[in-house]
Amino acid sequence: MIRFDHVHKEYPDGTIAVDDFTLEVPSHEVVVLLGSSGCGKTTLMRMVNRMVDPSSGSVSIDGDDVAHSDPVKLRRSIGYVMQSGGLLPHRTVVDNIATVPLLLGATRRSAHARASELLDLVGLEQSVAKRYPSQLSGGQRQRIGVARALASDPNILLMDEPFGAVDPVVRAELQRELLHLQNELAKTILFVTHDVDEAFLLGQQVLVLRTGAEVAQHGSPANILLDPADDFVANFIGGPRRHLRTEMRDGRHIVVDAAGHVTGVLQDDRGAAG
Amino acid sequence: MIQFADAFAWLVDPANWPGPNGITARILEHLWYCLLALVLALVIAMPAGLYIGHTGKGRALAIGLTGALRALPSLGLLTLLAVTMSLGLRLAIVPSTIVLAILAIPPLLAAAYSGVEAVDPDVVDGARASGLNEWQIVGRVEVPLAAPLLVGGLRSAVLQVIATATLSAFLGLGGLGRFILDGQAVADYTRMLGGAILVIALALILDGGILLLQRWLVPSGVSIALGTGRLEGR
């Protein structure tokens, strides 16, 4: 469990990135911080592994204030996936994935064995093991980022717009696989994104954030869709685009949004749905 | 052209190579002075440059300082050090090494800090977030990725030092400068030109050597990363 307790972050130039933020992220759940860029969501996330220290307030993991732990040890115990991948360009894929186990003192042999297990887990061929990050596609690099984060089997995974830089088809695939992985691994995941669909797909709880990491609404995706707290939330999650209705066309139900644009086809047969 | 022909004749004359005043001995002396100076310069410039590149602190100071060092006239400094230092003339290798090191520091320092600064900040951020400590970030991420620039800095330092080590002869030291200085004293232009050609040849050979060595000094992943990775644009 991760707990943010009245966290405040002010930079020396007076910018307030986070203003009095409190949240409990339950273990084994995916909580999504959703907001536009500059709202402070990444800053919040980086407080968990002490890449950023709060000006006041505290962040604790299972009751222990992270401020009391050594940042380097703490980071090795928490998986971190970033948008750009952040892989070491001069190390092979297998060495990149083995980074944390090696830092923790694993032998090269066992770290590499673990890395090849992870390649399977994130759906990559073993043949990419000896290649360098620049020789891979964006989607492959993100998978390796996920594998690296999982290498030491951390309880907590921090994901900072991990699929933001890949094309929509690959993104959808990576999102599905993350859900699948989460079913198996049940990590505590704090996920940062500005993509509403992604937030609703992945998050058991979603926090819609305004500037200064002010919580505009906190709830389940259904909750937020059914009952947006205010106009800001309603607009942010898509406004009229989310107001769907069905129409009959050629004997089938199609789904259209408020402006009349077709967004999908309703499956009549419940068994075929989804 | 007559002089060149004479100079080459002097160079290939086997009688000029052996002995304590021969070409072989002078080349070895020359290389020794350069090595001393380069080691001293590396010991000062590398830690300082890596520190500046890694922390971003002291950058303005380094730029100002290297600019000032570059502007110092080597011969003037050499004379000044030789006559003012108590050891100056008795142990001429000391002022000579200092002057050559001062020449080598600016390119090495600039290569170190600019090389580290040029490393993709996301890569450093990812390494830090994975749990590398600051030393590991410098040693395993920043230095390998800065290696091509570091080698470039080394090349330019070596060139300058090899060329300028001829000045050591002014303090009564050996090295290839002896041929130039002694030749001048007796108006032996053949010997002067021969010495100059040797300096140039030595500089070119060492430069080529480092260029070859670059293949071993720069990790293969770095070449791939910097070669294709940058162009591809993530």
Side-chain angles (χ1 to χ4, degrees):
Chain A
M1 184 190 75
I2 308 167
R3 188 175 157 75
F4 294 83
D5 202 9
H6 297 290
V7 166
H8 183 85
K9 178 68 189 179
E10 187 174 340
Y11 286 102
D13 66 356
T15 321
I16 294 173
V18 175
D19 193 13
D20 194 28
F21 179 88
T22 297
L23 170 71
E24 219 172 83
V25 180
S27 296
H28 315 298
E29 273 199 28
V30 183
V31 172
V32 177
L33 303 176
L34 172 65
S36 356
S37 51
C39 75
K41 56 193 193 299
T42 297
T43 307
L44 273 178
M45 197 199 70
R46 287 164 71 91
M47 286 177 183
V48 178
N49 64 353
R50 294 198 61 190
M51 290 295 281
V52 173
D53 284 325
S55 312
S56 67
S58 69
V59 179
S60 57
I61 295 173
D62 297 330
D64 298 326
D65 189 339
V66 296
H68 301 317
S69 54
D70 171 48
V72 169
K73 276 191 193 145
L74 180 73
R75 289 169 197 154
R76 289 175 188 175
S77 71
I78 295 174
Y80 186 91
V81 189
M82 53 204 280
Q83 178 175 354
S84 65
L87 301 172
L88 302 176
H90 58 301
R91 297 280 181 90
T92 57
V93 165
V94 67
D95 283 334
N96 264 289
I97 299 175
T99 303
V100 181
L102 285 173
L103 287 172
L104 291 171
T107 61
R108 226 180 134 70
R109 178 191 288 266
S110 75
H112 279 196
R114 173 73 181 144
S116 82
E117 244 174 72
L118 282 157
L119 279 179
D120 288 337
L121 190 70
V122 299
L124 285 171
E125 301 276 331
Q126 292 296 329
S127 61
V128 303
K130 291 288 166 213
R131 297 169 73 182
Y132 289 95
S134 62
Q135 298 170 316
L136 305 174
S137 69
Q140 286 173 315
R141 278 203 289 267
Q142 287 315 115
R143 285 168 197 264
I144 291 156
V146 173
R148 175 173 71 168
L150 289 172
S152 64
D153 200 19
N155 293 322
I156 296 173
L157 215 51
L158 305 175
M159 307 187 84
D160 187 7
E161 308 205 17
F163 311 137
V166 294
D167 68 66
V169 177
V170 177
R171 190 184 310 154
E173 195 181 318
L174 290 171
Q175 288 164 346
R176 269 201 311 278
E177 287 179 29
L178 179 65
L179 282 174
H180 178 71
L181 269 180
Q182 176 61 2
N183 269 335
E184 265 179 55
L185 305 175
K187 302 289 183 193
T188 305
I189 299 181
L190 192 58
F191 193 105
V192 161
T193 184
H194 60 253
D195 179 334
V196 180
D197 295 311
E198 183 168 78
F200 288 166
L201 177 70
L202 300 175
Q204 279 143 308
Q205 297 181 39
V206 174
L207 282 89
V208 185
L209 300 177
R210 274 190 248 268
T211 321
E214 186 199 333
V215 181
Q217 189 166 6
H218 177 185
S220 69
N223 205 236
I224 294 170
L225 271 172
L226 285 171
D227 190 14
D230 54 22
D231 287 349
F232 173 81
V233 176
N235 276 323
F236 193 85
I237 63 173
R241 197 164 64 81
R242 299 274 177 196
H243 300 160
L244 307 176
R245 61 177 197 279
T246 59
E247 275 176 16
M248 287 292 287
R249 205 168 289 181
D250 298 334
R252 299 180 70 185
H253 291 284
I254 58 163
V255 182
V256 294
D257 67 10
H261 297 122
V262 181
T263 64
V265 181
L266 206 64
Q267 302 298 118
D268 288 328
D269 179 0
R270 287 276 158 188
Chain B
M1 289 324 284
I2 299 297
Q3 282 112 332
F4 270 104
D6 290 347
F8 280 111
W10 177 81
L11 279 175
V12 297
D13 183 351
N16 291 329
W17 286 78
N21 299 322
I23 294 174
T24 314
R26 293 298 181 217
I27 287 177
L28 290 177
E29 283 166 354
H30 201 91
L31 287 174
W32 171 239
Y33 304 152
C34 293
L35 184 71
L36 278 180
L38 283 167
V39 168
L40 178 64
L42 279 169
V43 165
I44 294 168
M46 275 301 125
L50 296 179
Y51 176 82
I52 293 163
H54 181 72
T55 62
K57 288 179 194 157
R59 193 167 186 277
L61 183 71
I63 292 173
L65 202 68
T66 52
L69 288 182
R70 279 189 168 126
L72 282 178
S74 295
L75 183 57
L77 187 64
L78 188 69
T79 316
L80 182 75
L81 285 179
V83 298
T84 56
M85 288 176 76
S86 58
L87 282 173
L89 286 169
R90 274 175 294 142
L91 204 60
I93 190 77
V94 176
S96 152
T97 304
I98 292 173
V99 166
L100 293 179
I102 282 175
L103 209 59
I105 285 173
L108 291 173
L109 188 68
Y113 73 69
S114 56
V116 169
E117 275 174 357
V119 175
D120 183 349
D122 279 344
V123 169
V124 175
D125 196 63
R128 188 173 286 125
S130 298
L132 273 76
N133 65 35
E134 299 306 305
W135 289 104
Q136 290 165 335
I137 291 171
V138 173
R140 302 185 191 182
V141 182
E142 290 174 336
V143 168
L145 289 173
L149 275 173
L150 293 177
V151 174
L154 182 66
R155 282 177 63 192
S156 108
V158 166
L159 280 182
Q160 299 220 39
V161 167
I162 291 280
T164 312
T166 45
L167 292 185
S168 307
F170 278 100
L171 300 185
L173 290 171
L176 294 170
R178 279 259 68 87
F179 295 127
I180 298 173
L181 209 63
D182 297 349
Q184 193 190 21
V186 296
D188 181 353
Y189 299 117
T190 305
R191 198 164 11 142
M192 284 179 76
L193 192 54
I197 290 170
L198 282 170
V199 173
I200 294 168
L202 199 59
L204 290 177
I205 289 167
L206 284 179
D207 195 45
I210 298 172
L211 209 56
L212 285 177
L213 214 62
Q214 186 161 15
R215 291 184 51 180
W216 284 276
L217 286 175
V218 177
S220 61
V222 175
S223 321
I224 291 169
L226 300 180
T228 56
R230 285 283 160 83
L231 289 175
E232 200 177 289
R234 287 180 303 179

